[in-house]
Amino acid sequence: MSDLTHLTISQARAKLRGKEITAAEITEAYLDAIERANPLLNAYVTVTGNKARDMAKASDAKLAKGEGGALEGIPLGIKDLFGTEGVHTQACSHVLDGFKPRYESTVTANLWADGAVMLGKLNMDEFAMGSSNETSYYGPVINPWRRSRLDTVVMPTTHQGDGGFVSSGGTKTARTLDNAQLVPGGSSGGSASAVSAFLCAGATATDTGGSIRQPAAFTGTVGIKPTYGRCSRWGIVAFASSLDQAGPIARDVRDAAILLKSMASVDPKDTTSVDRPVPDYEAAIGKPIKGMKVGIPKEYRVDGMPEDIEALWQKGIAWLKDAGAEIVDISLPHTKYALPAYYIVAPAEASSNLARYDGVRYGLRVPGKDIIDMYEKTRAAGFGREVKRRIMIGTYVLSAGYYDAYYLQAQKVRTLIKRDFENVFAAGVDVILTPATPSAAFGVADEDMASDPVNMYLNDIFTVTVNMAGLPGIAVPAGLDAKGLPLGLQLIGQPFDEETLFQTAHVIEQAAGTFQPDKWW
Amino acid sequence: MSVDLQTVKRVAHLARIAVSEEDAERMTGELNAILGFVEQLNEVDVSGVEPMTSVTPMEMKKRRDVVTDGSKATDIVANAPAADENFFLVPKVVE
């Protein structure tokens, strides 16, 4: 039954409603796939098999009566950042050891109300801080994609199978997989890896500086960060409250649209949740983009960007042009300041949000000689290096005498970044096309990344502007590089115009196709 | 601007994170790399620019000032490392 895991959400939805398959069957197929693959990929930190089976059973009862919700019987993985009642919720941090919330986040509650089935909790960078999923207390997630080499081999006899294809001249081209383990990106690395390796039909994720879009690009999956305020943040472990947004990672554009429709809502429990009805995103898919104005920002052409990425960007431009879009050159002059401004705003907000982990109300407690000593020892033992770094930066930039020089300056620059986008949209641009990341997936324990924290931060150079301006952005796979690794393009839209992103991303998907890793796990 | 070892120790104490001498030394280098990176923000002319307070222009949501939640003491202390009769237990604070 393992091919059930290869159905997209829209395909599985049709088969479930048509009673060709049951929720119990598809859930069992995923649980089986997880059991076999997870020791190698480390995408899940907890598998909720019994809960999944119970939920699937309830879905089957509803489906039998023709009563299913929008996601009835669809098995999903949930990033460990989302509060799930009675289930492991630790933001993949040691400091939250044993934490099982007595509440359910609004986003996951919306998914269960629509009939989705929870398979388990997905690995992530600790507190969503990282771009490689290596800062998790539960160890790194492995990307199901590996580099490969194309070899032409002379074949003595006709031969079939093992991923190659037979040529008429008796030679075949074979892709040889390299053994080096690659990162899936982060912070939603578990979500991206699980979706790409067929360990869930789709996954929830969150994005503060690129944490949905960068891992989606590294794994050949689709990831959308909606407009700030579209998905409720209630019940999601907070990192940087003015930047955090939840969104889905899925195998194709339609699945991402289906998931976002269920995840998004108007929520009185989150004051930044926006009072706007959630549109039917799926309806935008397939609409022609003829006459749409697509902006190409010159500032996204950065030094040292691999040729493959520049070529991919040009391909994307050509595809949209062929579909009737008008391509215009634009300028977003403050782009280069987005990442440095982010590394003031995000740590500042994080230092404040993470003050709550003190060994008193939940999680880890390390005893001390007095209460201050207990706080300090608990936090020293509970937080990993990257999290401590960011708390320290945040505490420093907010400390007396430095607030104006750092935080206030960064918030002013943020106004300018947002204004750049507003000017472009006011000039009639409907959507902006950029590369999603400055490189393909890199190796686990990459020395360059480890040598300087800023090298890791540069992964988010193309995605972070979108968070700073609160805009929606989608990463859609658009091709493979010379080493056979997936690369993504990013589309940036106007506030609450996710529909244009789905519509345009689908045009790219139609031209580029979808991508699956060769199975080695 | 850059930080020295003493500043790093002071900030660590403000952040309530115990650091060893070795940690503090390593962090000094790392924090200075980050502070060096963000330094470029000073190039930007921000005269007359308002600092951002909200990415989406929206009015603060209001609701009636009534009790909408509560009576969940057991839930609230359920995850505490040490609790007794719906109180969080901490080391003695007042002598």
Side-chain angles (χ1 to χ4, degrees):
Chain A
M1 289 307 248
S2 79
D3 56 335
L4 288 183
T5 63
H6 284 242
L7 297 172
T8 62
I9 291 174
S10 60
Q11 289 166 344
R13 180 179 65 181
K15 286 186 188 292
L16 285 161
R17 286 180 188 168
K19 302 192 174 63
E20 288 173 56
I21 59 170
T22 64
E25 285 166 353
I26 192 167
T27 300
E28 227 36 74
Y30 276 113
L31 290 173
D32 188 45
I34 295 166
E35 196 180 317
R36 279 182 284 117
N38 209 50
L40 294 164
L41 298 176
N42 199 27
Y44 282 85
V45 291
T46 253
V47 180
T48 51
N50 291 339
K51 193 177 172 84
R53 290 184 184 102
D54 287 348
M55 290 172 100
K57 204 172 155 191
S59 285
D60 279 329
K62 282 195 182 161
L63 286 160
K65 286 187 270 176
E67 284 175 359
L71 288 169
E72 202 65 58
I74 303 291
L76 302 178
I78 303 298
K79 187 178 183 180
D80 200 32
L81 207 63
F82 291 82
T84 43
E85 195 173 354
V87 175
H88 184 290
T89 299
Q90 290 182 213
C92 284
S93 177
H94 186 33
V95 88
L96 267 168
D97 267 6
F99 183 62
K100 291 193 168 83
R102 294 296 185 103
Y103 53 82
E104 188 76 28
S105 81
T106 298
V107 165
T108 49
N110 290 342
L111 292 171
W112 315 142
D114 275 351
V117 169
M118 175 159 77
L119 292 168
K121 299 301 284 287
L122 294 162
N123 205 340
M124 54 179 282
D125 278 302
E126 184 183 3
F127 285 108
M129 298 179 188
S131 302
S132 65
N133 214 121
E134 291 169 288
T135 73
S136 168
Y137 180 65
Y138 296 90
V141 175
I142 304 304
N143 193 331
W145 286 84
R146 287 180 162 182
R147 293 189 191 103
S148 59
R149 202 177 58 226
L150 278 179
D151 294 317
T152 307
V153 198
V154 180
M155 298 304 293
T157 54
T158 313
H159 180 84
Q160 277 198 314
D162 69 302
F165 55 85
V166 181
S167 83
S168 55
T171 61
K172 74 163 189 166
T173 314
R175 272 217 281 168
T176 312
L177 287 186
D178 187 305
N179 285 333
Q181 294 188 327
L182 303 180
V183 303
S187 67
S188 311
S191 307
S193 176
V195 171
S196 174
F198 304 99
L199 305 186
C200 58
T204 65
T206 60
D207 189 315
T208 303
S211 283
I212 289 176
R213 293 158 288 157
Q214 184 251 18
F218 276 16
T219 56
T221 54
V222 177
I224 181 166
K225 181 205 91 72
T227 313
Y228 184 80
R230 183 65 287 177
C231 287
S232 169
R233 291 180 298 108
W234 194 84
I236 302 174
V237 176
F239 161 15
S241 305
S242 78
L243 301 158
D244 298 343
Q245 254 302 287
I249 291 182
R251 288 199 215 119
D252 67 14
V253 174
R254 183 176 297 275
D255 283 5
I258 294 170
L259 287 173
L260 184 60
K261 170 89 166 78
S262 285
M263 291 170 72
S265 63
V266 179
D267 185 8
K269 288 191 279 197
D270 174 2
T271 50
T272 62
S273 148
V274 169
D275 267 326
R276 286 169 80 112
V278 181
D280 179 8
Y281 297 120
E282 213 182 336
I285 291 172
K287 282 191 185 163
I289 60 159
K290 196 169 160 40
M292 192 180 279
K293 221 179 208 187
V294 179
I296 311 298
K298 63 170 191 237
E299 290 80 6
Y300 283 64
R301 193 162 280 119
V302 296
D303 288 345
M305 189 162 87
E307 266 174 47
D308 282 336
I309 289 179
E310 173 65 32
L312 185 86
W313 198 9
Q314 293 307 321
K315 257 205 271 181
I317 293 169
W319 289 330
L320 297 182
K321 209 177 197 170
D322 286 348
E326 183 194 342
I327 308 295
V328 289
D329 288 322
I330 58 166
S331 174
L332 299 164
H334 296 91
T335 298
K336 71 176 265 209
Y337 300 110
L339 200 60
Y342 174 85
Y343 274 97
I344 290 174
V345 174
E349 294 184 14
S351 72
S352 168
N353 274 326
L354 272 59
R356 72 190 68 175
Y357 305 105
D358 56 5
V360 174
R361 286 156 294 170
Y362 23 65
L364 185 75
R365 173 185 287 194
V366 178
K369 62 180 183 335
D370 54 31
I371 195 162
I372 302 277
D373 194 43
M374 181 198 87
Y375 293 152
E376 293 195 343
K377 283 186 171 147
T378 298
R379 290 163 65 80
F383 294 134
R385 272 195 189 186
E386 182 60 30
V387 173
K388 284 182 195 166
R389 236 184 328 256
R390 297 202 198 186
I391 292 174
M392 294 280 287
I393 284 285
T395 306
Y396 177 71
V397 301
L398 292 176
S399 63
Y402 296 104
Y403 180 87
D404 286 7
Y406 286 112
Y407 191 72
L408 202 65
Q409 178 79 5
Q411 289 290 49
K412 286 178 179 174
V413 171
R414 198 172 168 190
T415 300
L416 293 173
I417 292 163
K418 182 157 190 257
R419 201 177 285 169
D420 284 352
F421 283 107
E422 284 167 351
N423 291 340
V424 164
F425 291 132
V429 165
D430 297 296
V431 67
I432 297 166
L433 178 73
T434 78
T437 56
S439 77
F442 47 87
V444 171
D446 183 277
E447 279 177 26
D448 233 28
M449 295 293 171
S451 66
D452 180 346
V454 176
N455 288 350
M456 187 66 88
Y457 299 170
L458 290 171
N459 268 289
D460 289 338
I461 190 161
F462 298 142
T463 47
V464 77
T465 50
V466 175
N467 302 76
M468 293 301 269
L471 301 172
I474 190 168
V476 57
L480 302 180
D481 72 2
K483 289 173 179 154
L485 294 182
L487 294 172
L489 289 171
Q490 174 180 233
L491 291 159
I492 304 169
Q494 305 201 41
F496 301 102
D497 191 14
E498 283 81 4
E499 285 156 293
T500 296
L501 296 188
F502 287 121
Q503 183 186 354
T504 316
H506 186 249
V507 171
I508 293 176
E509 183 178 74
Q510 292 289 104
T514 54
F515 303 88
Q516 299 179 2
D518 288 343
K519 192 164 187 262
W520 54 265
W521 59 90
Chain B
M1 272 180 274
S2 65
V3 290
D4 57 17
L5 191 65
Q6 275 321 103
T7 311
V8 168
K9 287 181 182 169
R10 186 175 59 84
V11 171
H13 181 63
L14 283 174
R16 299 287 185 264
I17 297 174
V19 288
S20 66
E21 198 67 26
E22 201 188 318
D23 290 339
E25 271 168 34
R26 195 193 64 244
M27 280 178 178
T28 307
E30 290 169 353
L31 298 195
N32 281 329
I34 299 166
L35 292 172
F37 174 65
V38 303
E39 194 97 322
Q40 52 183 306
L41 290 180
N42 296 329
E43 299 162 23
V44 187
D45 179 8
V46 293
S47 42
V49 178
E50 285 294 314
M52 182 179 284
T53 48
S54 166
V55 273
T56 26
M58 60 188 298
E59 234 180 277
M60 170 85 106
K61 282 191 203 171
K62 297 179 193 77
R63 64 165 178 85
R64 289 176 64 85
D65 185 14
V66 290
V67 176
T68 59
D69 205 352
S71 304
K72 290 181 178 168
T74 348
D75 285 342
I76 288 165
V77 298
N79 277 286
D84 189 16
E85 289 182 11
N86 293 340
F87 288 98
F88 294 111
L89 291 187
V90 294
K92 197 170 180 183
V93 180
V94 184
E95 287 302 324

